[in-house]
Amino acid sequence: MNAPVALLLTDLVDSALLSQEMGDVAMNAVWAAHDRMARDLLRQWRGREIDKTDGFLLLFADPADALGYVLAYHRALAAMQPPLKARAGLHVGQVTMRETPAADVALGAKPFEADGVSKPIAARVMSTALGGQTLLTPAAMAALSPAMGAAGTAFGSAGADIPRAVSHGHWHVKGLPEPLELFEVGEAGAPFTPPPDSAKVYRVLRRGDLWLPLRELRHSLPAERDAFVGRRSTLHELARRFDQGARLVSLLGIGGGGKTRLATRFGWGWMGEFPGGVWFCDLAPGRTLEGLVRAVAQGLQVPLGQEDPVLQLGNAIAGRGPCLVILDNFEHLARHAQATLGHWLDRAAEAVFLVTTREVLGMVGEETFALAPLATADATKLFKRRAAAAKRDFDPGADDLAAIHTLVGMLDGLPLAIELAAARVRALAPRALLARMSERFKLLASSGGRQDRQATLRATFDWSWGLLATAEKAALAQLSVFEGGFTLESAEAVIDLSHLPDPPWTLDVVNSLVDKSFIRTLGDERFDLLVSVQAYAAEHLCTEARYSGSGRLALAAAQARHGAWFAALGPQRATENACAELDNLVAACRRAAVAGDAERAAGTLDGAWAAINLHGPFKAGVDLAQAVCAMAGLSAGAAAHAQVVMGGALEALGQRVQAMRHYESALQHARAAADTACEAAATIRLGVLRARAGQVDAAREAHQRALLMARQLGDGALECAALNGLGIVDFDAGRLEQAQVHYEQALGLARRVSDSRWQGSLLGNLGNLHANLGHMDEARACFEESLQVVRKLGDRQREGNTLSNLGMLRYLQGELDDARAAFEQSLEVARALGHARLECVVLGNLGLVYAALGRPADALASCQAMLVVALAIGDARILGQCLGHLGLAQARLLDFGTARTSLAEGQAILQQINDPVSLGLLQCQRAEAEWLSGDICAAEQARISAVNLGTASGTGPRSELGIALARLASLLSGSSG
C-alpha cells in the first residue's frame, strides 16, 4: 500500500480498573458489546481492522471516513452501560502491508501487519489524548480539509452539533526530529482540554531556533550568545544513545572542536526529556578533587555542607530523578572520574551524564562519541555568520567565497579556528587570510581582548599539550613528519623513545594519544593528525627544549626514519589501500633529495611513482624524477629505476620522444647494474612506444625479449606486462586472434598471482578486442568487471580508460546520452591525471557522439581540441585517427576542401604505421565525406577499400568498423536509389 492512508488508533481508558470492579464475567459481556459496536461502525465507515488490544488499529482510504468513524465511536461509547471513554489518535501517512504466512495465521497470527513510521506516530499521538479526546496530526488535518488549518474552523454538513477543530500547540514526540502541532476534533460543546505532558510527549514553545518545553524546568545551562550552526545529525545521535539506555556518554574531541557548544545546545534542545532538569558543570577551573566537586556543586546549585561532598552531590543528583548532568572539560581531572562520577552513576539511577573531554575516561558503561570536524558546508556557513557579526557590511564576492571554502578546509573544520579566522575579516579579506595561513597560530588569535584559554588556537593546544606525559609529547611531535596519515606499523618505525628512561611501548603511547583526541582514527587501522595539530606538533619537534629530546637534530632523525620506512615499502605496497601512502612517499622522496640521500630518494621514488601512476597527477612524477635523476652519487641500479620513472611520467604526459630517451638510458644503467627486472621493464615500455610509432617488428622483438627475462626471473607482473605488450602489437596490426591469445594468457597469469592491477588492465584490453570483433556482450562484461576492479584499487588511469571504452560501446549500441556521460567522466579523469593520450581518444569519441546527436559544430570543436593535444604528444596512431575524425566533422559543415586535406594526411599516417582497423574507419569517414560532397563514385571507392581492410583484420559486423560499414552502405544505397 503506497498511497497515504488514514491510521486511527483507539484505546479504552481505565479498562483494567473497570475489569477489577465488575469481575471477569460481566466485563466479558462489556467487551463483546464494545467489539460488536465498533466493528458495525467500521463497516458503515468503510474502514479496515488491522489489530486489536484494548482498542483498535484501523485503516481508512478516506480520512473523512476515519473522522466520521471516531466521532460516532465516542458517541456510542458514551451510550453504553456502563458508559466508556476512549482516547484516539489520527494520522495520515504511508504504510506497508505485510501478509502473514498462512501457517502462522492458522496458529492465531493476524493475517496482515501494517509497518512504517506512520504507525508509531499515530500511537504516540493517541497515547497523549485524554479520555474522550481525538487528537490529529498536521498531516491528518491537511488531508481532511485545507480549511481545517485554523483553530476553531467548522466542517461537515450544516446542522446542530457541528464538530470543530482546535490546535493544542506544538508537542515534542519522542523519536521524531521535529515537534508536531496537535489538533483536537470533537463535538461543538466539548471542553477541548489540552492534554498533559507525558514522558514521551510534551508541549514545547518556539524560542529563536529552539523548541523549549512549556513546563517550567530547572536548569543551569549558560545562555547561547550567538546562532548555533550545523551538527543536526550529531545532536540526534546523542539523543538516540540516551534513548537506548546510555547513562554516560563521553563527547571526545580536540580543543576548539566545539564540544562545549554542542553539549550546551543538546541541553537546551532536549531539556524536556529530563523532568529533573539539566545541570551544566564547568570543570575547567578545577585542578584537584576538591576543585572538581566545587565545580559540580556550583553547576547543580547545591551548597556543600560538612558531610562528604561526593556523597552529598550523589544524593542531590539522585533526588532530582530523571535529569541530565553535563560535566564540561573533564580531561585534566580524569584520574578522579571513578571516585566521583562512578559513585554518582551508582547512586543516581535515573540520572544520565554527558561529559566533554579530550580523553577517554575509561569507565565501565562509558560510551564514547568522537566529535568529527564540521562538514564543509556547515563550516562555510559558520565562517560567513561570524564574519558578518564581526563586520556588518561583510559581502564576499566569488573569489572570497572560494577562499572561504578552501580556508575552512585548511582549518580542519574546527569551530574555534573558524571563529577566530572569521573575526579577522575586519582587517583582512578571506583571500588575504588564506594567503597568511602559513602563520596560522599568529592569525588565529583573538583580537577582542579575550583572556580565557580558548582566546587563541595556540592557547587551546597548549592546554592539551600540558596534560601530556613526556613520552606522549615526543611521540606526537615525531608523528608530525607524516603526510596524509599513517598506520600503526609505520608509526612504530618512526617514533623513537629510546632516549627516555624506561620508554613505554609505542602502541600504548599511540592509543593514549587517540584517547586524548590528538590522533584521529580513519578506519582500516589508519590514523592521522588534523592539519592544525600537525603544524603545532611539528613546531615542538624542531624547537629546542620543548620536550626531552626536541630540536633540529630530532627533526632530521625523525625524517630520516620516515624516509627509510617508505624507501623500503616497494611499488606493490605503495599502491595498497587506494594508494593511501602517496603523500608520505612524495614527502619522503623530496626530503631525501634535499638531504642528498640518493639511495633513499631513489627507493621512495619507485613507490611514489607506482601510486602517482594510478592516481596522478603525472606532472608530480616528472618533478620527483627530475630531482632524483639530478642527484650526485646515484648507483647504477638507482639511476636505472629513476630513469624508468622519468620515462613513464613523460610517456603518460604524451612526451613520447623524451620518454624513449630516458627508457634507453635506463636500459644502459640497468645492464651496468645487472638489474634484469629493471631492464625488462624499460624494454617493455620501449616496445610499447615503438609499436605506437609503427615500428611493429622492433616492438614485437622487444616484448619477446622482455618476456624471456620475466620468465627467467619468475616475475609474474613483468610477464603480464610483456604478454600485454605483445597483445597490443598484434591488436594494432589487425591480428586480433593472436592478440586475444596474448591477452587471455596474461589475464590467466594475473589471476593466478592475484595481481589485481594487471587484471583490471587486461580485462579492459580484452573488452576492447571483443568490441572490435563485434562481440558486444562479452565486451560489456569485460569493461564492467574491469571498472569494478580498478575502482577498488583506486587506479584512476585505468578507470579513465575503461570509462572511455564503455562510452564507445554505448555509442555503438545507440545509447548516446549514456555514451556522452561516460566520455565526460573519462575526460575529467584524463585531465586531472594529465593523461594526454587518453584525453585525445576521449575528445575524438565525444566528437562522434556530438555528430550522432546532430551537433556538428560541437563535433568539430571537439576534434579540433583533439588535434591540439595529438600534435603535442606526437603519437602517430592518435594523430591519424584524429585527422579522420576532423575531416568528417569538416565535411559535415560543408568545408569539403579542408576535409579532403585532413583525410589524406590521416590516411598517409595510418598507412605508414600499418593500422588496418584505424585505416578502415578513416576510409569510412572519407566515403561519407565524399557522399556529402555529391561524389558518389569516390565514396564507393573509399567504401570498398574499407570493406577490404575490415576483412583483412577480421573485424565483425557489430564492431565499430562493422557498424560504420553498415551505416555507410545504407547511405550509399539511398543515394543510388
Side-chain angles (χ1 to χ4, degrees):
M1 183 178 294
N2 294 320
V5 296
L7 294 89
L8 177 66
L9 273 87
T10 65
D11 179 51
L12 283 182
V13 177
D14 296 330
S15 58
L17 179 62
L18 185 61
S19 181
Q20 289 178 354
E21 293 176 351
M22 296 182 64
D24 289 343
V25 174
M27 192 62 193
N28 285 341
V30 171
W31 277 122
H34 167 271
D35 293 351
R36 182 72 274 142
M37 173 270 294
R39 286 168 174 148
D40 288 343
L41 283 176
L42 193 61
R43 293 186 180 89
Q44 178 183 341
W45 291 99
R46 296 168 291 278
R48 180 178 182 183
E49 179 180 338
I50 300 300
D51 202 357
K52 180 186 180 300
T53 52
D54 283 2
F56 288 95
L57 167 59
L58 308 172
L59 296 186
F60 296 83
D62 186 345
D65 285 341
L67 187 57
Y69 173 89
V70 74
L71 294 174
Y73 176 66
H74 282 307
R75 289 193 294 268
L77 287 176
M80 288 184 67
Q81 289 300 323
L84 300 176
K85 283 188 176 182
R87 52 190 168 199
L90 179 58
H91 175 60
V92 171
Q94 291 188 336
V95 296
T96 300
M97 298 303 298
R98 176 165 47 86
E99 188 172 359
T100 306
D104 295 335
V105 174
L107 295 174
K110 296 172 293 184
F112 295 94
E113 287 281 1
D115 294 322
V117 70
S118 295
K119 183 176 173 182
I121 291 174
R124 290 282 167 85
V125 171
M126 178 272 291
S127 69
T128 306
L130 296 167
Q133 274 188 329
T134 300
L135 296 182
L136 282 70
T137 65
M141 285 295 298
L144 281 166
S145 168
M148 292 292 293
T153 300
F155 68 97
S157 59
D161 298 325
I162 296 175
R164 58 192 189 93
V166 172
S167 172
H168 285 310
H170 286 81
W171 296 70
H172 175 88
V173 180
K174 198 175 186 72
L176 296 185
E178 294 293 337
L180 286 177
E181 185 176 9
L182 293 185
F183 299 85
E184 181 182 352
V185 174
E187 307 293 352
F192 293 98
T193 305
D197 288 353
S198 67
K200 295 183 178 180
V201 184
Y202 54 87
R203 192 170 180 184
V204 293
L205 288 175
R206 186 94 181 197
R207 185 177 298 169
D209 63 342
L210 281 170
W211 289 98
L212 299 180
L214 183 64
R215 62 183 183 231
E216 286 294 325
L217 295 175
R218 295 175 62 200
H219 70 86
S220 61
L221 287 167
E224 296 185 302
R225 299 185 181 183
D226 46 29
F228 186 84
V229 176
R231 305 288 199 194
R232 183 183 180 89
S233 62
T234 305
L235 288 165
H236 286 294
E237 172 61 17
L238 269 179
R240 186 191 67 80
R241 293 200 183 195
F242 285 123
D243 286 347
Q244 292 183 348
R247 301 239 1 258
L248 168 60
V249 176
S250 290
L251 191 60
L252 296 171
I254 192 69
K259 302 182 298 297
T260 298
R261 188 64 195 277
L262 182 74
T264 304
R265 168 52 59 124
F266 180 77
W268 280 111
W270 274 260
M271 185 185 296
E273 302 285 319
F274 305 103
V278 178
W279 307 99
F280 184 89
C281 309
D282 182 5
L283 308 185
R287 292 293 182 275
T288 62
L289 175 62
E290 291 74 18
L292 188 160
V293 295
R294 279 198 302 272
V296 174
Q298 183 178 355
L300 290 171
Q301 300 173 354
V302 172
L304 293 175
Q306 297 301 314
E307 64 180 296
D308 183 332
V310 174
L311 296 177
Q312 183 182 351
L313 292 174
N315 291 333
I317 296 170
R320 295 181 185 184
C323 65
L324 170 66
V325 180
I326 299 173
L327 302 174
D328 191 39
N329 299 304
F330 211 131
E331 58 275 345
H332 61 299
L333 297 166
R335 64 190 181 280
H336 302 303
Q338 189 56 51
T340 55
L341 179 54
H343 170 75
W344 301 333
L345 280 164
D346 292 339
R347 178 70 183 87
E350 293 183 283
V352 298
F353 296 82
L354 176 59
V355 172
T356 74
T357 175
R358 304 183 194 190
E359 65 176 281
V360 177
L361 302 183
M363 298 180 62
V364 174
E366 177 185 20
E367 286 195 20
T368 58
F369 186 1
L371 185 59
L374 280 173
T376 301
D378 288 338
T380 301
K381 184 178 180 180
L382 177 64
F383 185 99
K384 290 193 290 186
R385 283 202 176 185
R386 299 300 186 258
K391 185 180 182 187
R392 296 187 66 85
D393 60 348
F394 179 68
D395 185 19
D399 290 345
D400 278 331
L401 287 174
I404 291 170
H405 186 273
T406 304
L407 190 63
V408 298
M410 294 180 68
L411 294 173
D412 301 308
L414 287 176
L416 173 62
I418 292 167
E419 294 193 2
L420 291 171
R424 292 287 186 180
V425 301
R426 288 190 290 264
L428 295 171
R431 55 187 181 277
L433 287 172
L434 185 59
R436 291 174 177 265
M437 277 303 292
S438 60
E439 305 173 80
R440 69 174 62 208
F441 291 110
K442 293 180 182 177
L443 182 70
L444 302 179
S446 171
S447 57
R450 283 180 58 180
Q451 299 300 316
D452 59 279
R453 62 187 172 82
Q454 291 202 340
T456 70
L457 189 64
R458 180 187 295 281
T460 302
F461 287 174
D462 284 345
W463 165 271
S464 297
W465 176 267
L467 299 175
L468 297 180
T470 301
E472 293 168 338
K473 293 176 180 178
L476 179 62
Q478 293 171 49
L479 288 171
S480 69
V481 301
F482 285 99
E483 298 288 342
F486 52 90
T487 62
L488 182 60
E489 188 181 16
S490 58
E492 288 177 316
V494 169
I495 295 172
D496 180 10
L497 304 176
S498 61
H499 63 287
L500 299 175
D502 192 21
W505 190 22
T506 301
L507 173 61
D508 288 340
V509 178
V510 170
N511 280 338
S512 179
L513 289 169
V514 170
D515 286 346
K516 295 180 178 180
S517 304
F518 274 103
I519 295 176
R520 292 193 306 173
T521 57
L522 303 180
D524 298 326
E525 299 182 354
R526 191 166 184 83
F527 310 88
D528 79 345
L529 306 180
L530 293 174
V531 176
S532 298
V533 173
Q534 183 184 20
Y536 179 84
E539 181 183 293
H540 282 270
L541 175 62
C542 67
T543 304
E544 302 291 339
R546 289 292 178 87
Y547 64 89
S548 176
S550 69
R552 294 195 175 278
L553 291 178
L555 170 64
Q559 288 182 343
R561 292 191 296 274
H562 176 272
W565 168 261
F566 285 103
L569 199 63
Q572 183 172 345
R573 289 195 64 189
T575 59
E576 290 176 353
N577 301 317
C579 304
E581 302 295 4
L582 174 56
D583 290 341
N584 276 312
L585 287 159
V586 170
C589 185
R590 287 174 176 161
R591 290 169 183 164
V594 170
D597 189 332
E599 294 303 307
R600 198 171 78 212
T604 51
L605 177 63
D606 267 353
W609 172 244
I612 291 171
N613 195 27
L614 301 185
H615 256 257
F618 298 137
K619 181 63 168 58
V622 172
D623 294 341
L624 286 180
Q626 280 179 332
V628 175
C629 288
M631 294 182 71
L634 278 180
S635 66
H641 283 260
Q643 292 290 344
V644 167
V645 171
M646 189 69 178
L650 289 168
E651 180 187 349
L653 288 173
Q655 300 176 31
R656 182 178 59 85
V657 175
Q658 300 93 315
M660 289 187 75
R661 286 202 298 266
H662 286 282
Y663 286 141
E664 287 164 352
S665 175
L667 272 182
Q668 295 175 10
H669 287 296
R671 287 167 180 162
D675 188 338
T676 307
C678 189
E679 180 184 356
T683 301
I684 289 167
R685 296 319 309 165
L686 280 168
V688 170
L689 292 181
R690 284 168 180 156
R692 289 177 181 165
Q695 303 168 20
V696 177
D697 292 338
R700 183 176 286 109
E701 187 276 330
H703 288 305
Q704 288 172 338
R705 183 157 32 91
L707 181 61
L708 180 61
M709 287 188 277
R711 285 173 173 168
Q712 289 172 343
L713 290 168
D715 189 322
L718 275 176
E719 187 174 347
C720 285
L723 287 167
N724 181 64
L726 285 169
I728 291 172
V729 170
D730 285 330
F731 180 84
D732 289 345
R735 297 154 53 104
L736 301 187
E737 289 184 2
Q738 294 91 325
Q740 184 171 353
V741 170
H742 291 308
Y743 288 152
E744 289 178 345
Q745 187 178 354
L747 180 60
L749 175 60
R751 283 177 167 152
R752 286 197 301 277
V753 300
S754 300
D755 191 322
S756 298
R757 186 163 181 257
W758 271 114
Q759 286 179 49
S761 183
L762 288 158
L763 282 164
N765 286 345
L766 266 173
N768 203 24
L769 185 144
H770 282 304
N772 274 270
L773 289 170
H775 305 155
M776 298 308 185
D777 292 340
E778 293 90 337
R780 187 182 290 265
C782 284
F783 291 147
E784 289 176 349
E785 185 181 353
S786 173
L787 196 59
Q788 184 177 6
V789 171
V790 300
R791 280 179 169 164
K792 185 176 181 180
L793 287 172
D795 189 339
R796 293 282 283 162
Q797 180 183 169
R798 283 169 176 75
E799 181 183 3
N801 282 329
T802 307
L803 284 167
S804 177
N805 290 333
L806 266 173
M808 177 53 68
L809 193 68
R810 288 165 177 162
Y811 163 75
L812 295 175
Q813 294 181 320
E815 303 167 12
L816 299 181
D817 289 335
D818 289 342
R820 183 182 58 183
F823 288 141
E824 287 171 350
Q825 290 178 54
S826 179
L827 186 61
E828 182 181 349
V829 171
R831 287 174 170 166
L833 294 172
H835 195 326
R837 190 170 189 276
L838 177 59
E839 183 179 0
C840 263
V841 171
V842 177
L843 285 168
N845 291 342
L846 270 173
L848 295 174
V849 173
Y850 287 139
L853 289 169
R855 295 164 55 180
D858 289 333
L860 178 62
S862 189
C863 293
Q864 288 171 333
M866 177 186 183
L867 181 61
V868 172
V869 184
L871 289 169
I873 66 176
D875 186 307
R877 177 170 287 98
I878 292 290
L879 182 57
Q881 293 169 347
C882 174
L883 288 165
H885 292 314
L886 181 62
L888 182 53
Q890 290 163 337
R892 284 174 173 155
L893 290 171
L894 308 183
D895 187 359
F896 298 115
T898 307
R900 289 188 177 104
T901 300
S902 298
L903 289 161
E905 291 176 358
Q907 179 177 335
I909 292 170
L910 294 175
Q911 284 174 335
Q912 185 176 359
I913 65 171
N914 190 28
D915 181 349
V917 175
S918 296
L919 189 57
L921 287 167
L922 184 141
Q923 290 293 357
C924 289
Q925 291 161 338
R926 173 190 287 279
E928 184 174 345
E930 295 295 355
W931 174 77
L932 288 168
S933 75
D935 191 340
I936 305 303
C937 182
E940 180 61 21
Q941 289 176 353
R943 186 192 71 81
I944 292 171
S945 176
V947 169
N948 292 335
L949 287 163
T951 301
S953 61
T955 55
R958 296 176 63 199
S959 67
E960 182 181 3
L961 180 52
I963 291 171
L965 284 167
R967 179 176 177 277
L968 186 60
S970 177
L971 285 176
L972 296 181
S973 65
S975 298
S976 62

